[in-house]
Amino acid sequence: MKNFKRVAALVAVAVILIVFCLPMIFAFGDGEQSRGVFMAALFAALMVPILIYAMLMVYKMLEGRQKKVEGEIRNLIFDIGNVLVDFDWEGYLKSYGFPEEKYEKIADAVFRSETWNLRDQGLKKEEEYIQDFIAAAPEYAREIREVVEGSFATIRKRDYTDTWLRYLKNQGYRLYALSNYSQYMYEHTLKELSFLKEMDGVLLSWEIQDIKPHASFYQALLTRCGLKAEESVFLDDREDNCQAAERQGIHAIVFENLKQAAGELEKLGVK
């Protein structure tokens, strides 16, 4: 970063010198257009330093908004489902108005199945997963296909997500996402996941064909983003995933709600 700033400063100085020299060059020019070119070069020579100064002021203002972190914790790692977004598969499935027995069988075949979790790992094509769901309750093949293909409707960004993440970012913490998430769901819920653009790093299970609570999944994030485990906190709604993070040396909080999570973070010095 320091080298980059040095290079940028040298480039800026060179640009300013060149622009300041232009009026002198065109001042000795001949022809009807020489006066106009000279005035344009003179105007540029005056405006460039002003614009550079204005940009520096904006940069300093934006940089000043982000505080320097005090304490051990520097990185906050978030699960997505039931932490930053709602994963309301029950409400979604009930919207179909299936009789209770049919509802339970489809729920078992899809959302409660091991196939649903394996789907996040992305080892097969989406159609193959649909066939696996159907195989668990073939009498409801048409309904299961419809439910799975529309399952992105289970995801809704929580009201506090953007505000909370922005606050933590402005406090100087670096934010990351580590989540079990299928490619199909990701591609169909990008609007609800708009906050990922503000993250310093994002690792989703389908991208590397690995899932929580595998130790390799946590290590992949630490390695890719250059994070120290002891400086990081992981928030997930599942206790087994949090325990797996702790085995990697990462602090972990079982997420229940915003107030509870904020209180647990405060105990770790995150305010």
mmCIF file of all heavy atoms in Angstrom, residues 179-200:
data_model
loop_
_atom_site.group_PDB
_atom_site.id
_atom_site.type_symbol
_atom_site.label_atom_id
_atom_site.label_comp_id
_atom_site.label_asym_id
_atom_site.label_seq_id
_atom_site.Cartn_x
_atom_site.Cartn_y
_atom_site.Cartn_z
ATOM 1 N N SER A 179 -20.345 -18.880 4.179
ATOM 2 C CA SER A 179 -21.685 -19.456 4.263
ATOM 3 C C SER A 179 -21.869 -20.649 3.338
ATOM 4 O O SER A 179 -21.313 -20.695 2.237
ATOM 5 C CB SER A 179 -22.715 -18.379 3.895
ATOM 6 O OG SER A 179 -24.030 -18.839 4.078
ATOM 7 N N ASN A 180 -22.670 -21.601 3.814
ATOM 8 C CA ASN A 180 -23.133 -22.687 2.961
ATOM 9 C C ASN A 180 -24.238 -22.117 2.075
ATOM 10 O O ASN A 180 -25.276 -21.683 2.579
ATOM 11 C CB ASN A 180 -23.690 -23.843 3.807
ATOM 12 C CG ASN A 180 -22.602 -24.574 4.563
ATOM 13 O OD1 ASN A 180 -21.414 -24.329 4.378
ATOM 14 N ND2 ASN A 180 -23.004 -25.484 5.439
ATOM 15 N N TYR A 181 -24.008 -22.115 0.781
ATOM 16 C CA TYR A 181 -24.952 -21.474 -0.134
ATOM 17 C C TYR A 181 -24.813 -22.121 -1.504
ATOM 18 O O TYR A 181 -23.710 -22.228 -2.038
ATOM 19 C CB TYR A 181 -24.631 -19.981 -0.238
ATOM 20 C CG TYR A 181 -25.836 -19.078 -0.326
ATOM 21 C CD1 TYR A 181 -26.385 -18.503 0.805
ATOM 22 C CD2 TYR A 181 -26.419 -18.792 -1.562
ATOM 23 C CE1 TYR A 181 -27.481 -17.656 0.736
ATOM 24 C CE2 TYR A 181 -27.514 -17.942 -1.654
ATOM 25 C CZ TYR A 181 -28.045 -17.378 -0.495
ATOM 26 O OH TYR A 181 -29.134 -16.551 -0.575
ATOM 27 N N SER A 182 -25.929 -22.543 -2.080
ATOM 28 C CA SER A 182 -25.868 -23.215 -3.381
ATOM 29 C C SER A 182 -25.763 -22.198 -4.504
ATOM 30 O O SER A 182 -26.159 -21.036 -4.366
ATOM 31 C CB SER A 182 -27.117 -24.077 -3.587
ATOM 32 O OG SER A 182 -28.251 -23.271 -3.860
ATOM 33 N N GLN A 183 -25.255 -22.623 -5.620
ATOM 34 C CA GLN A 183 -25.103 -21.736 -6.769
ATOM 35 C C GLN A 183 -26.463 -21.268 -7.272
ATOM 36 O O GLN A 183 -26.643 -20.090 -7.599
ATOM 37 C CB GLN A 183 -24.357 -22.442 -7.902
ATOM 38 C CG GLN A 183 -24.118 -21.546 -9.114
ATOM 39 C CD GLN A 183 -23.267 -22.211 -10.182
ATOM 40 O OE1 GLN A 183 -22.873 -23.371 -10.057
ATOM 41 N NE2 GLN A 183 -22.960 -21.484 -11.235
ATOM 42 N N TYR A 184 -27.432 -22.174 -7.315
ATOM 43 C CA TYR A 184 -28.775 -21.815 -7.788
ATOM 44 C C TYR A 184 -29.372 -20.714 -6.910
ATOM 45 O O TYR A 184 -29.893 -19.715 -7.410
ATOM 46 C CB TYR A 184 -29.686 -23.044 -7.769
ATOM 47 C CG TYR A 184 -31.095 -22.758 -8.247
ATOM 48 C CD1 TYR A 184 -31.392 -22.756 -9.605
ATOM 49 C CD2 TYR A 184 -32.121 -22.465 -7.340
ATOM 50 C CE1 TYR A 184 -32.675 -22.486 -10.058
ATOM 51 C CE2 TYR A 184 -33.405 -22.186 -7.780
ATOM 52 C CZ TYR A 184 -33.671 -22.201 -9.128
ATOM 53 O OH TYR A 184 -34.949 -21.913 -9.578
ATOM 54 N N MET A 185 -29.286 -20.888 -5.593
ATOM 55 C CA MET A 185 -29.851 -19.903 -4.674
ATOM 56 C C MET A 185 -29.103 -18.579 -4.788
ATOM 57 O O MET A 185 -29.704 -17.500 -4.744
ATOM 58 C CB MET A 185 -29.800 -20.424 -3.245
ATOM 59 C CG MET A 185 -30.699 -21.625 -2.997
ATOM 60 S SD MET A 185 -32.455 -21.199 -3.057
ATOM 61 C CE MET A 185 -32.683 -20.508 -1.413
ATOM 62 N N TYR A 186 -27.798 -18.643 -4.932
ATOM 63 C CA TYR A 186 -26.995 -17.426 -5.048
ATOM 64 C C TYR A 186 -27.402 -16.622 -6.287
ATOM 65 O O TYR A 186 -27.630 -15.417 -6.212
ATOM 66 C CB TYR A 186 -25.512 -17.788 -5.122
ATOM 67 C CG TYR A 186 -24.615 -16.601 -5.401
ATOM 68 C CD1 TYR A 186 -24.346 -15.656 -4.413
ATOM 69 C CD2 TYR A 186 -24.050 -16.416 -6.667
ATOM 70 C CE1 TYR A 186 -23.532 -14.563 -4.663
ATOM 71 C CE2 TYR A 186 -23.231 -15.323 -6.929
ATOM 72 C CZ TYR A 186 -22.984 -14.403 -5.923
ATOM 73 O OH TYR A 186 -22.191 -13.329 -6.199
ATOM 74 N N GLU A 187 -27.495 -17.299 -7.410
ATOM 75 C CA GLU A 187 -27.805 -16.613 -8.663
ATOM 76 C C GLU A 187 -29.208 -16.013 -8.676
ATOM 77 O O GLU A 187 -29.470 -15.059 -9.418
ATOM 78 C CB GLU A 187 -27.643 -17.580 -9.842
ATOM 79 C CG GLU A 187 -26.186 -17.970 -10.086
ATOM 80 C CD GLU A 187 -26.023 -19.036 -11.146
ATOM 81 O OE1 GLU A 187 -27.054 -19.612 -11.562
ATOM 82 O OE2 GLU A 187 -24.878 -19.293 -11.569
ATOM 83 N N HIS A 188 -30.113 -16.563 -7.857
ATOM 84 C CA HIS A 188 -31.492 -16.082 -7.829
ATOM 85 C C HIS A 188 -31.801 -15.166 -6.643
ATOM 86 O O HIS A 188 -32.949 -14.715 -6.500
ATOM 87 C CB HIS A 188 -32.461 -17.267 -7.833
ATOM 88 C CG HIS A 188 -32.541 -17.987 -9.145
ATOM 89 N ND1 HIS A 188 -31.562 -18.880 -9.551
ATOM 90 C CD2 HIS A 188 -33.445 -17.939 -10.150
ATOM 91 C CE1 HIS A 188 -31.885 -19.356 -10.747
ATOM 92 N NE2 HIS A 188 -33.010 -18.793 -11.129
ATOM 93 N N THR A 189 -30.811 -14.892 -5.797
ATOM 94 C CA THR A 189 -31.064 -14.026 -4.640
ATOM 95 C C THR A 189 -30.060 -12.879 -4.549
ATOM 96 O O THR A 189 -29.827 -12.334 -3.477
ATOM 97 C CB THR A 189 -31.040 -14.837 -3.320
ATOM 98 O OG1 THR A 189 -29.753 -15.478 -3.175
ATOM 99 C CG2 THR A 189 -32.124 -15.888 -3.293
ATOM 100 N N LEU A 190 -29.479 -12.493 -5.663
ATOM 101 C CA LEU A 190 -28.456 -11.455 -5.664
ATOM 102 C C LEU A 190 -28.982 -10.128 -5.104
ATOM 103 O O LEU A 190 -28.247 -9.393 -4.436
ATOM 104 C CB LEU A 190 -27.928 -11.237 -7.083
ATOM 105 C CG LEU A 190 -27.037 -12.360 -7.633
ATOM 106 C CD1 LEU A 190 -26.686 -12.097 -9.090
ATOM 107 C CD2 LEU A 190 -25.766 -12.489 -6.802
ATOM 108 N N LYS A 191 -30.243 -9.831 -5.354
ATOM 109 C CA LYS A 191 -30.824 -8.587 -4.827
ATOM 110 C C LYS A 191 -30.823 -8.593 -3.308
ATOM 111 O O LYS A 191 -30.514 -7.579 -2.674
ATOM 112 C CB LYS A 191 -32.240 -8.402 -5.356
ATOM 113 C CG LYS A 191 -32.902 -7.114 -4.892
ATOM 114 C CD LYS A 191 -34.303 -6.978 -5.458
ATOM 115 C CE LYS A 191 -34.969 -5.693 -4.952
ATOM 116 N NZ LYS A 191 -36.350 -5.546 -5.476
ATOM 117 N N GLU A 192 -31.180 -9.732 -2.728
ATOM 118 C CA GLU A 192 -31.226 -9.842 -1.274
ATOM 119 C C GLU A 192 -29.822 -9.891 -0.665
ATOM 120 O O GLU A 192 -29.644 -9.646 0.521
ATOM 121 C CB GLU A 192 -32.012 -11.096 -0.858
ATOM 122 C CG GLU A 192 -33.435 -11.161 -1.406
ATOM 123 C CD GLU A 192 -34.285 -9.986 -0.963
ATOM 124 O OE1 GLU A 192 -34.099 -9.517 0.176
ATOM 125 O OE2 GLU A 192 -35.143 -9.538 -1.752
ATOM 126 N N LEU A 193 -28.831 -10.221 -1.484
ATOM 127 C CA LEU A 193 -27.447 -10.327 -1.008
ATOM 128 C C LEU A 193 -26.607 -9.120 -1.408
ATOM 129 O O LEU A 193 -25.380 -9.202 -1.449
ATOM 130 C CB LEU A 193 -26.801 -11.600 -1.579
ATOM 131 C CG LEU A 193 -27.499 -12.922 -1.279
ATOM 132 C CD1 LEU A 193 -26.740 -14.075 -1.950
ATOM 133 C CD2 LEU A 193 -27.605 -13.174 0.211
ATOM 134 N N SER A 194 -27.255 -7.999 -1.658
ATOM 135 C CA SER A 194 -26.545 -6.807 -2.121
ATOM 136 C C SER A 194 -25.450 -6.368 -1.155
ATOM 137 O O SER A 194 -24.442 -5.766 -1.558
ATOM 138 C CB SER A 194 -27.536 -5.656 -2.331
ATOM 139 O OG SER A 194 -28.236 -5.378 -1.117
ATOM 140 N N PHE A 195 -25.608 -6.688 0.131
ATOM 141 C CA PHE A 195 -24.616 -6.291 1.142
ATOM 142 C C PHE A 195 -23.271 -6.976 0.945
ATOM 143 O O PHE A 195 -22.249 -6.522 1.482
ATOM 144 C CB PHE A 195 -25.144 -6.607 2.548
ATOM 145 C CG PHE A 195 -25.561 -8.040 2.736
ATOM 146 C CD1 PHE A 195 -24.637 -9.009 3.081
ATOM 147 C CD2 PHE A 195 -26.887 -8.417 2.554
ATOM 148 C CE1 PHE A 195 -25.009 -10.331 3.248
ATOM 149 C CE2 PHE A 195 -27.270 -9.736 2.727
ATOM 150 C CZ PHE A 195 -26.339 -10.699 3.069
ATOM 151 N N LEU A 196 -23.222 -8.052 0.184
ATOM 152 C CA LEU A 196 -21.954 -8.753 -0.026
ATOM 153 C C LEU A 196 -20.938 -7.876 -0.756
ATOM 154 O O LEU A 196 -19.730 -8.078 -0.614
ATOM 155 C CB LEU A 196 -22.187 -10.047 -0.820
ATOM 156 C CG LEU A 196 -22.984 -11.157 -0.111
ATOM 157 C CD1 LEU A 196 -23.100 -12.377 -1.012
ATOM 158 C CD2 LEU A 196 -22.329 -11.536 1.215
ATOM 159 N N LYS A 197 -21.426 -6.899 -1.515
ATOM 160 C CA LYS A 197 -20.522 -6.011 -2.237
ATOM 161 C C LYS A 197 -19.688 -5.162 -1.290
ATOM 162 O O LYS A 197 -18.611 -4.679 -1.655
ATOM 163 C CB LYS A 197 -21.331 -5.098 -3.172
ATOM 164 C CG LYS A 197 -22.071 -5.838 -4.268
ATOM 165 C CD LYS A 197 -22.907 -4.878 -5.098
ATOM 166 C CE LYS A 197 -23.698 -5.628 -6.170
ATOM 167 N NZ LYS A 197 -24.550 -4.691 -6.962
ATOM 168 N N GLU A 198 -20.191 -4.964 -0.084
ATOM 169 C CA GLU A 198 -19.490 -4.145 0.897
ATOM 170 C C GLU A 198 -18.516 -4.960 1.757
ATOM 171 O O GLU A 198 -17.763 -4.401 2.559
ATOM 172 C CB GLU A 198 -20.501 -3.437 1.809
ATOM 173 C CG GLU A 198 -21.557 -2.630 1.073
ATOM 174 C CD GLU A 198 -20.957 -1.563 0.166
ATOM 175 O OE1 GLU A 198 -19.957 -0.954 0.581
ATOM 176 O OE2 GLU A 198 -21.482 -1.353 -0.944
ATOM 177 N N MET A 199 -18.550 -6.280 1.606
ATOM 178 C CA MET A 199 -17.680 -7.152 2.396
ATOM 179 C C MET A 199 -16.236 -7.083 1.888
ATOM 180 O O MET A 199 -15.984 -6.847 0.711
ATOM 181 C CB MET A 199 -18.177 -8.596 2.320
ATOM 182 C CG MET A 199 -19.539 -8.836 2.955
ATOM 183 S SD MET A 199 -19.386 -9.013 4.737
ATOM 184 C CE MET A 199 -21.045 -9.541 5.186
ATOM 185 N N ASP A 200 -15.306 -7.308 2.810
ATOM 186 C CA ASP A 200 -13.892 -7.343 2.427
ATOM 187 C C ASP A 200 -13.511 -8.694 1.826
ATOM 188 O O ASP A 200 -12.466 -8.816 1.181
ATOM 189 C CB ASP A 200 -13.028 -7.061 3.653
ATOM 190 C CG ASP A 200 -13.235 -5.653 4.178
ATOM 191 O OD1 ASP A 200 -12.784 -4.710 3.506
ATOM 192 O OD2 ASP A 200 -13.860 -5.483 5.243
#
